[in-house]
Structure formats: C-alpha cells, structure tokens
Amino acid sequence: MVRANGAVSLRELARVVQTSEVTVRRDVRALEAEGLLDRRHGGAVLPGGFSREPGYPQKTHLSAAEKSAIADLAAGLVEEGDAVVVGAGTTTQELARRLARVPGLTVVTNSLLVAQALAHANRVEVVMTGGTLRGSNYALVGSGAEQSLHGLRVSKAFISGSGLTAERGLSTTNMLSASVDRALVQSAAEVIVLADHTKLGADTMFQTVPTETITRLVTDEQATADDATARELDALADCGVQIDLAPLGAAPSGDAPVHGTGSGPVHQTQPGPMPRRAVSPPPGAAPLPGQRRPGTHGGPAGPGMPVRLAELGLPRGR
C-alpha cells in the first residue's frame, strides 16, 4: 500500500488488514527497521519522504474520510460575500466542492481542481492565477502565478501541504509549489491550514508557512488518538494557533454547511454526530470538539489565545 500510494495512515492499514492500530504500529516499526519505509505520526511513507510527493491519483485515496470531515468544518468558516484564496491539494478540492453553495463568494486559486469544483457554481466568482501547469497536482506555479497575486487582499487563505510541525510550520516537497503557497498566504488577513492527522509531525523539504503566520488549523479528531500528534497539537496551540477538530462521520460529502450570518462562522457541520457532551459548556468553559474557540472573532480568550488539548477533556492516546 505504501509503494502504491506513497503514504498510508495507521487507521487505514488497521481497517484493511482487520486488526488493531496497536498491532499495525508494531509491524510498521519492524518494517522501518528493515529500511522498507519511514514512520510518520499516524502513518508511514516510503523512504526519502522529505522529497517524495505522491501524485494526485494516489493522494485522492489517502485519508479520504478525514479530508471530507475537515472540508465540512472548514466550509463553515466562510460567509456569504467573502473573498478567499484556496491553494492546491486534495483537501482543498474537497473544500471547494462545499464552497460552491456559498452565495456572493469570490475564490482566487492556482488549482485547476479547485476551479473545476466551482465551475458550475452560479453565485461564485472564480479567479485563477497565471503560471505554468504542474501536472502532478494540477496546480499553476512559477513566476507567472506569483506575480498575478501581487496587490491582492482577501479575508482568508485556505492552504494545505505535506507536513506540519510546531517548529517549522507547514511544509511541502516541491520548491515551486512552496513559493506560490507563500504568495497566496501573503494576500490573506487570516491563514487557515487544512491538514489531516497523518501530516502532523511530518517535516518536508520546503517551508511554506511559518507557525507564527498560521491563524488556525483544521484537522480531524484522530489527531488526539496518538500521543505524538496530540503533543504536536499542544505545541501548535502554545504558538498561538487555534485548533479545530473535525468529527469523523459528519455530513456526507457535498452537503451544504451551516454558514455564519455576521456573528462569526459556525464550525459544526449539520447534520452530524452529537458532540461528545450533549450540552453546551457554560460561559467561560472550554468549547466542545469542532466548535469555534474564542479568539479571532473577539471571544473572551482574546485574539490568538491557545487552547490546550487537556482543557478540552479529550483523550490522549488509545
């Protein structure tokens, strides 16, 4: 599976071989000792993962449920009339499918896949960068793409990558892609990273967005199931990054998210599973998983206030 896809999550391996993640993790360690793969937090990649990037056909099958849940939650951060930039990637492609139903939206992108997902959305204006087509991920890169973003200003940037650590921030395996992603981020007032749990703790060659520039991370709830990824989330929160956990098994792909109406975005997709606690927390208490943390929109914690996993009452490890 790793040879075919370039990377695989422990959760997917456990499902395929019908065993526990504990057993899979032990076997992955043995394979790493033989030099057949490299372990990453929550998964494994082919050796040389710092520079190797799976192609689009392979990436579409990786962490599909997690990407769908992340896209559902992230779509709730976009309001009617917003202007946003959306970078290249399979997670951002999932997001674009949901943004097709947001009226009055303007989307700037260098991704042909994002543009295609929005092509028939009558109430969404799509602006594409120039540049040279990079066939492995259907993205426009190079000086033409970067120059077309000069002078642009939007409210939010949604961006993905190959790895995310508190030490280096978001990174990718391709220099040209990294340069365009940096230009996309520079145009936005708020930088939102979309990354499933397999990317947490992974570090690749080219830094895209330093940690201090990231406003918010939207990841899936599996990130709290492993001690290593949970520690990475804590470290990111300590750096001021707001953490949103998307519950798995939420609304089917393509269902319209709930959008804000002026009082801030809604982070809980509808319909979806009940939160882990049936009632909302009292004023001043920690939010439920998947709900908006106070901070960016003037909540009581103040702008950029980090929230630790322990404050959410989430499990640490299995």
Side-chain angles (χ1 to χ4, degrees), residues 157-181:
F158 293 90
I159 192 167
S160 188
S162 302
L164 176 65
T165 66
E167 183 179 0
R168 286 188 73 215
L170 191 67
S171 61
T172 187
T173 57
N174 182 266
M175 182 173 62
L176 294 176
S177 294
S179 295
V180 176
D181 285 348

Side-chain angles (χ1 to χ4, degrees), residues 12-103:
E12 288 170 322
L13 284 172
R15 178 183 58 81
V16 170
V17 301
Q18 298 183 346
T19 188
S20 69
E21 289 189 29
V22 173
T23 300
V24 168
R25 188 176 289 109
R26 181 193 62 207
D27 293 342
V28 166
R29 289 195 188 101
L31 291 169
E32 182 183 46
E34 296 178 27
L36 297 175
L37 49 76
D38 290 340
R39 281 191 298 153
R40 292 287 183 267
H41 294 314
V45 299
L46 284 176
F50 272 85
S51 60
R52 189 185 186 281
E53 179 185 25
Y56 171 74
Q58 290 78 34
K59 287 193 287 187
T60 54
H61 300 294
L62 296 175
S63 305
E66 288 85 348
K67 292 174 182 177
S68 180
I70 290 168
D72 284 338
L73 197 156
L77 302 175
V78 181
E79 301 184 39
E80 181 175 344
D82 267 351
V84 302
V85 296
V86 179
T90 51
T91 310
T92 53
Q93 180 188 22
E94 286 293 318
L95 171 63
R97 290 170 177 155
R98 290 148 178 81
L99 296 183
R101 300 186 183 185
V102 183

Side-chain angles (χ1 to χ4, degrees), residues 215-273:
T215 309
R216 186 187 302 265
L217 165 65
V218 182
T219 188
D220 60 274
E221 62 183 357
Q222 282 289 114
T224 65
D226 181 86
D227 282 339
T229 53
R231 285 194 297 269
E232 200 69 55
L233 288 181
D234 274 344
L236 287 164
D238 285 342
C239 295
V241 179
Q242 298 183 63
I243 309 295
D244 289 320
L245 299 175
L248 297 178
S253 177
D255 281 11
V258 178
H259 297 283
T261 57
S263 59
V266 178
H267 282 208
Q268 184 80 26
T269 54
Q270 302 289 341

Side-chain angles (χ1 to χ4, degrees), residues 143-206:
S143 59
E146 296 171 42
Q147 290 172 8
S148 66
L149 294 166
H150 287 171
L152 180 70
R153 193 62 176 167
V154 297
S155 61
K156 302 176 184 73
F158 293 90
I159 192 167
S160 188
S162 302
L164 176 65
T165 66
E167 183 179 0
R168 286 188 73 215
L170 191 67
S171 61
T172 187
T173 57
N174 182 266
M175 182 173 62
L176 294 176
S177 294
S179 295
V180 176
D181 285 348
R182 283 193 288 268
L184 288 169
V185 164
Q186 288 171 2
S187 69
E190 184 177 355
V191 178
I192 302 168
V193 171
L194 310 182
D196 65 76
H197 69 278
T198 64
K199 296 178 181 178
L200 296 179
D203 196 6
T204 54
M205 283 188 72
F206 300 100

